[in-house]
Amino acid sequence: MKKIIILSLVVLLFIGIIFSVSSAKEFTPKAEYTMTVNVSAAFGWGMSAQKWCDLIKERTGGQINVKPYWGSQLLAGKQMNWFQAVAEGSIDFAVESTINSSSVVKSHNLFSLPFFINTYENLDKIEYGKTGKKMFAEMEKMQVKALAWGENGFRQLTNNVRAVRTPEDMKGLRLRVCPTPIYDDIFKQLGADPIHMNWGDAVTGFQQGAVDGQENPYGVLLPVKIWEYHKYATNWNYLVDPLLFVVNKGVWDSFPEDIQTIIKEAAEEAGIWEKAFVRRGLDGDISINILKETFGETPEILDQIAYVKTKGMEVVELTEAELTAFKEATKPVLDKWIDEVGVDFVASAKLDMTK
């Protein structure tokens, strides 16, 4: 009896090996998987996308080749269409902003609620808590598999007219903003004039005086050399711009489990690196130490705020009272957009932030 059992186990093991080999042979990867990225490789955002591609290729022994296409060129520059393109499978991978998917995935507007999150600690609690998991599950139902978080950063205000310390200082400023309804509501509520334009047009607008300022994270301000156009910056963390490392659900399901594991772990590693890179000097020594100790890197510019000051910019750090004035001024926008985001998502985020 024992011999029969042993023989049966050997046969089952042999069949399992044959099946495993057969399954592996059945998987034939595409020669190239496409990835859309809204920025160039000069930004931390773009660097992390390239890092993800490189790690995938290296760890799969060249079996999976993902090619990044910069500047939303696969979308003919229409950055707001990335989510639909990945969902329908015309693009395989993306490292993209929640801002650019917020018109389709309403919960992504959570990160644009004015003065709602404010700190890196709160952001991490939301992304890695129940809210982030719920958001990933929602996206998967829409045929986009989210694997990791990255970060463009908390968006700050710059202009070439005056230092901004109060809501009254915003009145009449013509500001280039992201082309989403919640941005329009925020800046109109503050008395500014929100203007939609791509970055190339914005630079020309700055030079010609057609636009007074803009809002972007330091991860963007440094690469575009914002000091060449604007003298004043206000650090207000009024909203944040997370990035998502994603893949089309059908493409994801086509990968064997071992390759899925490699792709996910590579995304998480690239995301951790990218978050540390764009946060460096903005969260004390936390991100600088991550870059040094985890990745063995020491970027040339460690204190991003100090660096723009050396370029002649005047940087305003709002007091708690000044920040409260902006929160109160934009509360009508916050209240309006809770329903748009989803009451359940907002409640979940509030709960995560208390943990």
Side-chain angles (χ1 to χ4, degrees):
M1 185 67 177
K2 186 182 291 186
K3 289 182 179 180
I4 294 173
I5 293 173
I6 294 172
L7 181 60
S8 298
L9 289 173
V10 170
V11 170
L12 286 172
L13 180 61
F14 180 73
I15 291 172
I17 292 170
I18 295 297
F19 179 79
S20 175
V21 172
S22 173
S23 297
K25 286 181 178 178
E26 285 171 7
F27 171 66
T28 304
K30 296 198 290 187
E32 175 188 295
Y33 292 88
T34 56
M35 174 186 285
T36 184
V37 188
N38 185 41
V39 299
S40 74
F43 296 78
W45 176 347
M47 293 177 197
S48 68
Q50 185 64 65
K51 182 182 285 288
W52 188 22
C53 295
D54 292 344
L55 288 173
I56 292 171
K57 187 172 184 178
E58 174 190 335
R59 293 174 184 178
T60 62
Q63 190 177 13
I64 306 300
N65 178 34
V66 184
K67 181 178 179 181
Y69 287 83
W70 313 111
S72 297
Q73 59 182 290
L74 295 177
L75 303 167
K78 296 178 180 178
Q79 64 195 60
M80 305 297 286
N81 294 342
W82 79 262
F83 191 90
Q84 300 96 309
V86 174
E88 70 186 17
S90 58
I91 296 175
D92 302 311
F93 287 74
V95 177
E96 264 298 342
S97 166
T98 53
I99 293 173
N100 294 336
S101 50
S102 60
S103 62
V104 180
V105 189
K106 296 299 184 181
S107 63
H108 288 180
N109 286 291
L110 173 76
F111 302 105
S112 295
L113 291 175
F115 303 99
F116 178 69
I117 297 176
N118 296 124
T119 70
Y120 291 118
E121 183 181 14
N122 281 340
L123 177 61
D124 288 341
K125 286 179 179 180
I126 290 170
E127 289 179 346
Y128 301 116
K130 289 185 178 179
T131 310
K133 291 180 177 65
K134 184 176 179 180
M135 208 171 278
F136 277 19
E138 178 188 40
M139 293 169 64
E140 186 163 357
K141 289 178 182 177
M142 301 171 76
Q143 300 306 303
V144 174
K145 177 72 175 179
L147 302 176
W149 292 99
E151 190 166 300
N152 200 19
F154 279 100
R155 301 178 76 91
Q156 318 298 357
L157 181 73
T158 71
N159 80 94
N160 206 37
V161 176
R162 56 180 170 267
V164 173
R165 282 192 172 275
T166 69
E168 289 70 31
D169 293 331
M170 296 286 290
K171 297 190 185 307
L173 289 179
R174 294 161 297 173
L175 301 170
R176 182 265 183 187
V177 303
C178 289
T180 63
I182 192 170
Y183 278 68
D184 290 341
D185 287 352
I186 292 168
F187 285 93
K188 286 178 181 177
Q189 182 69 27
L190 290 170
D193 183 11
I195 298 172
H196 301 171
M197 55 177 62
N198 64 43
W199 186 254
D201 292 337
V203 170
T204 302
F206 300 151
Q207 294 169 335
Q208 296 178 349
V211 184
D212 299 319
Q214 60 84 59
E215 48 75 54
N216 258 305
Y218 275 95
V220 173
L221 301 183
L222 269 65
V224 302
K225 299 181 179 180
I226 198 66
W227 51 85
E228 294 184 354
Y229 316 108
H230 299 152
K231 178 176 176 58
Y232 305 102
T234 297
N235 293 338
W236 59 348
N237 283 17
Y238 83 115
L239 55 80
V240 70
D241 185 5
L243 303 180
L244 292 161
F245 289 70
V246 305
V247 59
N248 168 267
K249 182 64 164 56
V251 171
W252 174 256
D253 290 341
S254 74
F255 293 132
E257 188 175 340
D258 59 334
I259 289 180
Q260 287 181 343
T261 299
I262 289 170
I263 291 172
K264 187 175 190 303
E265 290 179 351
E268 291 170 342
E269 183 175 330
I272 290 170
W273 175 87
E274 197 266 348
K275 276 194 168 196
F277 183 78
V278 299
R279 289 183 184 185
R280 69 195 191 282
L282 304 176
D283 61 355
D285 292 332
I286 295 173
S287 290
I288 292 173
N289 288 336
I290 290 173
L291 290 172
K292 289 180 177 179
E293 296 168 10
T294 304
F295 297 98
E297 298 180 15
T298 304
E300 181 180 351
I301 299 170
L302 293 177
D303 189 331
Q304 298 178 81
I305 296 174
Y307 184 77
V308 299
K309 287 180 180 178
T310 67
K311 297 297 182 178
M313 293 195 78
E314 181 181 317
V315 180
V316 172
E317 299 284 358
L318 297 180
T319 65
E320 194 60 39
E322 289 169 337
L323 188 61
T324 298
F326 278 102
K327 288 181 180 178
E328 292 175 351
T330 56
K331 190 175 185 302
V333 179
L334 176 69
D335 293 340
K336 171 187 173 181
W337 277 85
I338 286 175
D339 286 337
E340 288 285 331
V341 171
V343 174
D344 54 338
F345 270 101
V346 176
S348 177
K350 286 181 177 178
L351 185 60
D352 279 337
M353 288 190 288
T354 64
K355 295 178 180 178

